[in-house]
Coordinates of all heavy atoms in Angstrom, one line a residue:
L839 N 3.4 15.0 -8.0 CA 4.5 16.0 -8.0 C 4.9 16.3 -9.4 O 5.0 17.5 -9.8 CB 5.7 15.4 -7.2 CG 6.9 16.3 -7.2 CD1 6.7 17.6 -6.4 CD2 8.1 15.5 -6.7
F840 N 5.1 15.3 -10.3 CA 5.5 15.5 -11.6 C 4.4 16.3 -12.4 O 4.7 17.1 -13.2 CB 5.8 14.2 -12.4 CG 7.0 13.6 -11.9 CD1 7.1 12.2 -11.8 CD2 8.1 14.3 -11.5 CE1 8.3 11.6 -11.3 CE2 9.3 13.7 -11.0 CZ 9.4 12.3 -10.9
T841 N 3.1 16.0 -12.1 CA 2.0 16.7 -12.8 C 2.0 18.1 -12.4 O 1.8 19.0 -13.2 CB 0.7 16.0 -12.4 OG1 0.7 14.6 -12.8 CG2 -0.5 16.7 -13.2
A842 N 2.2 18.4 -11.1 CA 2.3 19.8 -10.6 C 3.4 20.6 -11.2 O 3.3 21.7 -11.7 CB 2.4 19.8 -9.1
I843 N 4.6 19.9 -11.3 CA 5.7 20.6 -11.9 C 5.5 20.9 -13.4 O 5.7 22.0 -13.9 CB 7.0 19.7 -11.8 CG1 7.4 19.7 -10.3 CG2 8.1 20.3 -12.7 CD1 8.5 18.8 -10.0
A844 N 4.9 19.9 -14.1 CA 4.6 20.2 -15.5 C 3.5 21.2 -15.7 O 3.6 22.1 -16.6 CB 4.1 18.9 -16.2
G845 N 2.5 21.3 -14.8 CA 1.5 22.3 -14.9 C 2.1 23.7 -14.6 O 1.7 24.7 -15.3
I846 N 2.9 23.8 -13.6 CA 3.5 25.1 -13.3 C 4.4 25.6 -14.5 O 4.4 26.7 -14.9 CB 4.3 25.0 -12.0 CG1 3.3 24.9 -10.8 CG2 5.2 26.3 -11.8 CD1 4.0 24.6 -9.5
A847 N 5.2 24.6 -15.0 CA 6.0 25.0 -16.1 C 5.2 25.4 -17.4 O 5.6 26.4 -18.1 CB 6.9 23.8 -16.5
S848 N 4.1 24.8 -17.6 CA 3.2 25.1 -18.7 C 2.5 26.5 -18.5 O 2.1 27.1 -19.5 CB 2.2 24.0 -19.0 OG 1.3 24.0 -18.0
L849 N 2.4 26.9 -17.3 CA 1.9 28.2 -17.0 C 2.9 29.3 -17.1 O 2.6 30.4 -17.6 CB 1.2 28.3 -15.6 CG -0.1 27.5 -15.4 CD1 -0.5 27.5 -14.0 CD2 -1.1 28.1 -16.3
I850 N 4.1 29.1 -16.7 CA 5.2 30.1 -16.6 C 5.9 30.2 -18.0 O 6.2 31.3 -18.4 CB 6.1 29.8 -15.5 CG1 5.4 29.9 -14.2 CG2 7.3 30.7 -15.5 CD1 6.2 29.5 -13.0
L851 N 6.3 29.1 -18.6 CA 7.2 29.2 -19.7 C 6.6 29.9 -20.9 O 7.3 30.6 -21.6 CB 7.7 27.8 -20.1 CG 8.7 27.2 -19.1 CD1 9.1 25.8 -19.5 CD2 9.9 28.0 -18.8
P852 N 5.3 29.7 -21.3 CA 4.8 30.5 -22.4 C 4.9 32.0 -22.2 O 5.1 32.7 -23.2 CB 3.4 30.0 -22.5 CG 3.4 28.7 -21.9 CD 4.4 28.7 -20.8
Q853 N 4.7 32.5 -21.0 CA 4.7 33.9 -20.8 C 6.2 34.4 -20.9 O 6.4 35.5 -21.5 CB 4.2 34.3 -19.3 CG 2.7 34.3 -19.2 CD 2.1 32.9 -19.2 OE1 2.8 31.9 -18.9 NE2 0.9 32.8 -19.4
I854 N 7.1 33.7 -20.5 CA 8.5 34.0 -20.7 C 8.8 34.1 -22.2 O 9.5 35.0 -22.7 CB 9.5 33.1 -20.0 CG1 9.3 33.2 -18.5 CG2 10.9 33.3 -20.4 CD1 10.0 32.2 -17.7
G855 N 8.3 33.1 -23.0 CA 8.4 33.1 -24.4 C 7.8 34.3 -25.1 O 8.4 34.9 -26.0
V856 N 6.7 34.8 -24.6 CA 6.0 36.0 -25.2 C 6.8 37.2 -24.9 O 7.0 38.0 -25.8 CB 4.6 36.1 -24.6 CG1 4.0 37.5 -24.9 CG2 3.7 35.0 -25.1
V857 N 7.4 37.3 -23.7 CA 8.2 38.5 -23.4 C 9.5 38.5 -24.3 O 9.8 39.5 -24.8 CB 8.6 38.5 -21.9 CG1 9.7 39.5 -21.6 CG2 7.4 38.7 -21.0
I858 N 10.1 37.3 -24.5 CA 11.2 37.3 -25.4 C 10.9 37.6 -26.8 O 11.6 38.3 -27.5 CB 11.9 35.9 -25.2 CG1 12.6 35.8 -23.9 CG2 12.9 35.7 -26.3 CD1 13.1 34.4 -23.6
A859 N 9.7 37.1 -27.3 CA 9.3 37.3 -28.6 C 9.0 38.7 -28.9 O 9.2 39.2 -30.1 CB 8.2 36.4 -29.0
R860 N 8.5 39.4 -28.0 CA 8.1 40.8 -28.2 C 9.3 41.8 -28.1 O 9.2 42.9 -28.6 CB 7.0 41.2 -27.2 CG 5.7 40.5 -27.5 CD 4.6 41.1 -26.7 NE 3.4 40.4 -27.0 CZ 2.3 40.5 -26.3 NH1 2.2 41.3 -25.3 NH2 1.2 39.8 -26.7
N861 N 10.4 41.4 -27.5 CA 11.5 42.2 -27.5 C 12.3 42.0 -28.8 O 12.8 40.9 -29.1 CB 12.4 41.9 -26.3 CG 13.5 42.9 -26.0 OD1 13.8 43.6 -26.9 ND2 13.9 42.9 -24.8
P862 N 12.5 43.1 -29.6 CA 13.1 42.9 -30.9 C 14.6 42.4 -30.8 O 15.0 41.6 -31.7 CB 13.1 44.3 -31.5 CG 12.4 45.2 -30.6 CD 12.1 44.5 -29.4
S863 N 15.4 42.8 -29.8 CA 16.7 42.4 -29.8 C 16.8 40.9 -29.5 O 17.6 40.2 -30.1 CB 17.5 43.2 -28.7 OG 17.0 42.9 -27.5
Y864 N 16.0 40.4 -28.6 CA 15.9 39.0 -28.3 C 15.4 38.2 -29.5 O 15.9 37.1 -29.8 CB 15.1 38.6 -27.1 CG 15.6 39.1 -25.8 CD1 14.7 39.5 -24.8 CD2 16.9 39.2 -25.6 CE1 15.2 40.0 -23.6 CE2 17.4 39.7 -24.3 CZ 16.5 40.0 -23.4 OH 17.0 40.5 -22.2
E865 N 14.4 38.8 -30.2 CA 13.9 38.1 -31.3 C 14.9 37.9 -32.4 O 15.0 36.8 -33.0 CB 12.7 38.9 -31.9 CG 12.0 38.2 -33.1 CD 10.9 39.1 -33.6 OE1 10.6 40.2 -33.0 OE2 10.2 38.7 -34.5
T866 N 15.6 38.9 -32.8 CA 16.6 38.8 -33.8 C 17.8 37.9 -33.4 O 18.3 37.1 -34.2 CB 17.2 40.1 -34.3 OG1 17.7 40.8 -33.1 CG2 16.1 41.0 -34.9
A867 N 18.1 37.9 -32.1 CA 19.2 37.1 -31.6 C 18.8 35.6 -31.7 O 19.6 34.7 -32.1 CB 19.6 37.4 -30.2
L868 N 17.6 35.3 -31.3 CA 17.2 33.9 -31.3 C 16.8 33.4 -32.7 O 16.9 32.2 -32.9 CB 16.1 33.7 -30.3 CG 16.5 33.9 -28.8 CD1 15.3 33.7 -27.9 CD2 17.6 33.0 -28.4
N869 N 16.4 34.3 -33.6 CA 16.0 33.8 -34.9 C 17.2 33.4 -35.7 O 17.1 32.5 -36.5 CB 15.3 35.0 -35.7 CG 13.8 35.0 -35.4 OD1 13.3 34.0 -34.9 ND2 13.2 36.1 -35.7
S870 N 18.3 34.1 -35.5 CA 19.5 33.7 -36.2 C 20.2 32.4 -35.8 O 20.8 31.8 -36.6 CB 20.5 34.9 -36.2 OG 20.9 35.0 -34.8
S871 N 20.0 32.1 -34.5 CA 20.6 30.8 -34.1 C 19.7 30.1 -33.0 O 20.1 29.9 -31.9 CB 22.0 31.1 -33.5 OG 21.9 32.1 -32.5
W872 N 18.6 29.8 -33.5 CA 17.6 29.1 -32.5 C 18.1 27.7 -32.1 O 17.8 27.3 -31.1 CB 16.2 29.0 -33.2 CG 16.2 28.2 -34.4 CD1 16.4 28.7 -35.7 CD2 16.0 26.8 -34.5 NE1 16.3 27.6 -36.6 CE2 16.1 26.5 -35.9 CE3 15.8 25.8 -33.6 CZ2 16.0 25.2 -36.3 CZ3 15.6 24.5 -34.0 CH2 15.7 24.2 -35.4
D873 N 18.8 27.0 -33.0 CA 19.3 25.7 -32.7 C 20.3 25.7 -31.5 O 20.3 24.9 -30.6 CB 19.9 25.0 -33.9 CG 20.9 25.8 -34.6 OD1 21.0 27.0 -34.3 OD2 21.6 25.2 -35.5
A874 N 21.2 26.7 -31.5 CA 22.1 26.8 -30.4 C 21.4 27.2 -29.1 O 21.8 26.7 -28.0 CB 23.2 27.9 -30.8
A875 N 20.4 28.1 -29.2 CA 19.6 28.4 -28.0 C 18.9 27.2 -27.5 O 18.8 27.0 -26.3 CB 18.6 29.5 -28.4
A876 N 18.3 26.4 -28.4 CA 17.6 25.2 -27.9 C 18.6 24.2 -27.3 O 18.3 23.6 -26.2 CB 16.9 24.5 -29.1
A877 N 19.8 24.0 -27.8 CA 20.8 23.2 -27.3 C 21.3 23.7 -25.9 O 21.4 22.9 -25.0 CB 22.0 23.0 -28.2
A878 N 21.5 25.0 -25.8 CA 21.9 25.5 -24.5 C 20.8 25.4 -23.5 O 21.1 25.2 -22.3 CB 22.3 27.0 -24.7
S879 N 19.5 25.5 -23.9 CA 18.4 25.3 -22.9 C 18.4 23.9 -22.5 O 18.1 23.6 -21.3 CB 17.1 25.7 -23.6 OG 17.1 27.1 -23.9
G880 N 18.6 22.9 -23.4 CA 18.7 21.5 -23.0 C 19.9 21.3 -22.0 O 19.7 20.5 -21.0
L881 N 21.0 21.9 -22.3 CA 22.1 21.8 -21.3 C 21.8 22.4 -20.0 O 22.2 21.8 -18.9 CB 23.4 22.5 -21.9 CG 24.2 21.8 -22.9 CD1 25.4 22.7 -23.3 CD2 24.8 20.5 -22.2
L882 N 21.1 23.5 -20.0 CA 20.7 24.1 -18.7 C 19.7 23.2 -17.9 O 19.9 23.0 -16.7 CB 20.0 25.4 -19.0 CG 19.7 26.3 -17.8 CD1 21.0 26.9 -17.3 CD2 18.8 27.5 -18.3
A883 N 18.8 22.6 -18.6 CA 17.9 21.6 -17.9 C 18.6 20.4 -17.4 O 18.4 19.9 -16.3 CB 16.8 21.2 -18.9
F884 N 19.5 19.9 -18.2 CA 20.3 18.7 -17.8 C 21.2 19.0 -16.7 O 21.3 18.2 -15.7 CB 21.1 18.1 -19.0 CG 21.8 16.8 -18.7 CD1 21.1 15.7 -18.4 CD2 23.1 16.8 -18.6 CE1 21.7 14.5 -18.1 CE2 23.8 15.6 -18.3 CZ 23.1 14.5 -18.0
G885 N 21.8 20.2 -16.7 CA 22.7 20.6 -15.6 C 21.9 20.7 -14.3 O 22.4 20.3 -13.2
A886 N 20.7 21.2 -14.4 CA 19.8 21.4 -13.2 C 19.4 20.0 -12.6 O 19.5 19.8 -11.4 CB 18.6 22.2 -13.5
L887 N 19.1 19.1 -13.5 CA 18.8 17.7 -13.1 C 20.0 17.0 -12.5 O 19.9 16.3 -11.5 CB 18.3 16.9 -14.2 CG 16.9 17.2 -14.7 CD1 16.5 16.4 -16.0 CD2 15.9 16.9 -13.6
E888 N 21.2 17.2 -13.0 CA 22.4 16.6 -12.5 C 22.7 17.2 -11.1 O 23.1 16.5 -10.2 CB 23.5 16.9 -13.5 CG 24.8 16.1 -13.2 CD 24.6 14.6 -13.6 OE1 23.8 14.3 -14.4 OE2 25.3 13.8 -13.0
M889 N 22.5 18.5 -11.0 CA 22.7 19.1 -9.6 C 21.7 18.6 -8.6 O 22.1 18.4 -7.4 CB 22.6 20.6 -9.7 CG 23.9 21.3 -10.3 SD 23.8 23.1 -10.1 CE 23.7 23.3 -8.4
Y890 N 20.5 18.4 -9.0 CA 19.5 17.8 -8.1 C 19.9 16.4 -7.7 O 19.9 16.1 -6.5 CB 18.1 17.7 -8.8 CG 17.1 16.9 -8.1 CD1 16.6 17.4 -6.9 CD2 16.8 15.6 -8.5 CE1 15.7 16.6 -6.2 CE2 15.9 14.8 -7.8 CZ 15.4 15.3 -6.6 OH 14.5 14.6 -5.9
W891 N 20.4 15.6 -8.6 CA 20.8 14.2 -8.3 C 22.0 14.3 -7.4 O 22.0 13.5 -6.4 CB 21.1 13.5 -9.6 CG 21.7 12.1 -9.3 CD1 22.9 11.6 -9.6 CD2 20.9 11.0 -8.8 NE1 23.0 10.3 -9.2 CE2 21.8 9.9 -8.7 CE3 19.6 10.8 -8.3 CZ2 21.5 8.6 -8.3 CZ3 19.3 9.6 -7.9 CH2 20.2 8.5 -7.8
G892 N 23.0 15.1 -7.6 CA 24.1 15.2 -6.7 C 23.8 15.7 -5.3 O 24.3 15.2 -4.3
S893 N 22.9 16.7 -5.3 CA 22.4 17.1 -4.0 C 21.6 16.0 -3.2 O 21.8 15.9 -2.0 CB 21.5 18.3 -4.1 OG 22.2 19.4 -4.8

Side-chain angles (χ1 to χ4, degrees):
L839 176 69
F840 291 144
T841 304
I843 290 171
I846 290 170
S848 68
L849 288 174
I850 293 172
L851 291 178
Q853 281 78 18
I854 293 172
V856 167
V857 169
I858 289 174
R860 290 189 180 171
N861 191 339
S863 64
Y864 292 149
E865 181 183 0
T866 57
L868 294 179
N869 273 343
S870 61
S871 55
W872 62 269
D873 51 347
S879 299
L881 276 177
L882 190 67
F884 184 67
L887 288 173
E888 194 71 26
M889 281 188 61
Y890 168 75
W891 177 247
S893 299

